[in-house]
Short mmCIF file of all heavy atoms in Angstrom, two decimals:
data_model
loop_
_atom_site.label_atom_id
_atom_site.label_comp_id
_atom_site.label_asym_id
_atom_site.label_seq_id
_atom_site.Cartn_x
_atom_site.Cartn_y
_atom_site.Cartn_z
N HIS A 351 -52.95 1.36 42.39
CA HIS A 351 -53.22 1.24 43.83
C HIS A 351 -52.12 0.55 44.61
O HIS A 351 -52.35 -0.17 45.57
CB HIS A 351 -54.55 0.53 44.08
CG HIS A 351 -55.66 1.14 43.30
ND1 HIS A 351 -55.95 2.49 43.37
CD2 HIS A 351 -56.51 0.62 42.38
CE1 HIS A 351 -56.95 2.75 42.55
NE2 HIS A 351 -57.30 1.65 41.93
N ARG A 352 -50.90 0.72 44.13
CA ARG A 352 -49.77 0.24 44.90
C ARG A 352 -49.60 1.19 46.08
O ARG A 352 -49.85 2.38 45.96
CB ARG A 352 -48.55 0.30 44.00
CG ARG A 352 -47.34 -0.37 44.53
CD ARG A 352 -46.31 -0.40 43.42
NE ARG A 352 -46.80 -1.18 42.27
CZ ARG A 352 -46.90 -2.50 42.27
NH1 ARG A 352 -46.57 -3.19 43.33
NH2 ARG A 352 -47.33 -3.14 41.20
N ARG A 353 -49.16 0.64 47.19
CA ARG A 353 -48.94 1.54 48.33
C ARG A 353 -47.73 2.42 48.07
O ARG A 353 -46.72 1.96 47.56
CB ARG A 353 -48.73 0.73 49.61
CG ARG A 353 -50.04 0.15 50.14
CD ARG A 353 -49.81 -0.46 51.49
NE ARG A 353 -48.57 -1.23 51.51
CZ ARG A 353 -47.84 -1.44 52.61
NH1 ARG A 353 -48.21 -0.90 53.76
NH2 ARG A 353 -46.75 -2.16 52.56
N LEU A 354 -47.86 3.67 48.41
CA LEU A 354 -46.78 4.62 48.18
C LEU A 354 -46.40 5.25 49.51
O LEU A 354 -47.26 5.48 50.35
CB LEU A 354 -47.30 5.77 47.31
CG LEU A 354 -47.17 5.69 45.80
CD1 LEU A 354 -47.85 6.91 45.22
CD2 LEU A 354 -45.71 5.65 45.40
N ARG A 355 -45.13 5.53 49.64
CA ARG A 355 -44.73 6.29 50.82
C ARG A 355 -44.54 7.74 50.41
O ARG A 355 -44.00 8.03 49.34
CB ARG A 355 -43.45 5.72 51.41
CG ARG A 355 -43.68 4.36 52.05
CD ARG A 355 -42.42 3.76 52.59
NE ARG A 355 -41.47 3.47 51.53
CZ ARG A 355 -40.23 3.02 51.77
NH1 ARG A 355 -39.81 2.85 53.01
NH2 ARG A 355 -39.42 2.76 50.77
N ALA A 356 -44.99 8.63 51.26
CA ALA A 356 -44.86 10.05 50.96
C ALA A 356 -44.54 10.77 52.26
O ALA A 356 -44.97 10.33 53.33
CB ALA A 356 -46.18 10.59 50.39
N PHE A 357 -43.73 11.78 52.16
CA PHE A 357 -43.64 12.64 53.34
C PHE A 357 -43.37 14.09 52.96
O PHE A 357 -42.88 14.40 51.88
CB PHE A 357 -42.63 12.12 54.38
CG PHE A 357 -41.20 12.09 53.93
CD1 PHE A 357 -40.33 13.13 54.27
CD2 PHE A 357 -40.71 11.03 53.19
CE1 PHE A 357 -39.01 13.09 53.87
CE2 PHE A 357 -39.39 10.99 52.80
CZ PHE A 357 -38.53 12.02 53.15
N CYS A 358 -43.80 14.97 53.87
CA CYS A 358 -43.67 16.39 53.65
C CYS A 358 -42.37 16.86 54.29
O CYS A 358 -41.86 16.24 55.22
CB CYS A 358 -44.85 17.12 54.28
SG CYS A 358 -46.43 16.57 53.60
N CYS A 359 -41.85 17.95 53.76
CA CYS A 359 -40.60 18.47 54.30
C CYS A 359 -40.62 19.98 54.22
O CYS A 359 -40.94 20.55 53.17
CB CYS A 359 -39.42 17.90 53.50
SG CYS A 359 -37.81 18.49 54.05
N ASP A 360 -40.33 20.65 55.33
CA ASP A 360 -40.02 22.08 55.27
C ASP A 360 -38.57 22.22 55.67
O ASP A 360 -37.70 21.78 54.93
CB ASP A 360 -41.01 22.91 56.11
CG ASP A 360 -41.37 22.26 57.43
OD1 ASP A 360 -40.46 21.73 58.09
OD2 ASP A 360 -42.54 22.29 57.82
N VAL A 361 -38.25 22.80 56.86
CA VAL A 361 -36.85 22.76 57.26
C VAL A 361 -36.47 21.39 57.82
O VAL A 361 -35.31 21.07 57.96
CB VAL A 361 -36.47 23.86 58.29
CG1 VAL A 361 -36.39 25.20 57.59
CG2 VAL A 361 -37.47 23.89 59.43
N ARG A 362 -37.49 20.60 58.12
CA ARG A 362 -37.23 19.24 58.60
C ARG A 362 -38.26 18.29 57.99
O ARG A 362 -39.35 18.73 57.60
CB ARG A 362 -37.29 19.20 60.14
CG ARG A 362 -38.64 19.56 60.64
CD ARG A 362 -38.74 19.71 62.15
NE ARG A 362 -40.08 20.19 62.47
CZ ARG A 362 -41.15 19.42 62.60
NH1 ARG A 362 -41.05 18.11 62.46
NH2 ARG A 362 -42.34 19.93 62.85
N PRO A 363 -37.92 17.02 57.91
CA PRO A 363 -38.87 16.05 57.37
C PRO A 363 -39.99 15.75 58.36
O PRO A 363 -39.75 15.70 59.57
CB PRO A 363 -38.01 14.81 57.11
CG PRO A 363 -36.81 14.97 57.99
CD PRO A 363 -36.61 16.42 58.22
N HIS A 364 -41.20 15.56 57.86
CA HIS A 364 -42.33 15.18 58.69
C HIS A 364 -42.52 13.66 58.61
O HIS A 364 -41.91 13.02 57.76
CB HIS A 364 -43.57 15.93 58.23
CG HIS A 364 -43.49 17.41 58.53
ND1 HIS A 364 -44.19 18.01 59.53
CD2 HIS A 364 -42.72 18.37 57.97
CE1 HIS A 364 -43.88 19.30 59.58
NE2 HIS A 364 -42.99 19.55 58.63
N PRO A 365 -43.37 13.08 59.47
CA PRO A 365 -43.50 11.62 59.48
C PRO A 365 -43.98 11.05 58.14
O PRO A 365 -44.72 11.71 57.41
CB PRO A 365 -44.55 11.37 60.57
CG PRO A 365 -44.52 12.59 61.42
CD PRO A 365 -44.15 13.73 60.53
N VAL A 366 -43.54 9.84 57.85
CA VAL A 366 -43.89 9.18 56.59
C VAL A 366 -45.36 8.77 56.60
O VAL A 366 -45.88 8.29 57.61
CB VAL A 366 -43.02 7.92 56.40
CG1 VAL A 366 -43.45 7.16 55.14
CG2 VAL A 366 -41.57 8.30 56.31
N GLN A 367 -46.01 8.96 55.46
CA GLN A 367 -47.39 8.50 55.30
C GLN A 367 -47.41 7.41 54.24
O GLN A 367 -46.76 7.53 53.22
CB GLN A 367 -48.27 9.67 54.82
CG GLN A 367 -48.18 10.91 55.70
CD GLN A 367 -48.95 12.09 55.08
OE1 GLN A 367 -50.03 11.91 54.51
NE2 GLN A 367 -48.37 13.28 55.18
#
Side-chain angles (χ1 to χ4, degrees):
H351 309 306
R352 190 171 298 287
R353 285 188 317 152
L354 268 176
R355 290 178 296 175
F357 65 97
C358 301
C359 179
D360 40 42
V361 285
R362 62 187 174 84
H364 291 255
V366 176
Q367 306 173 39

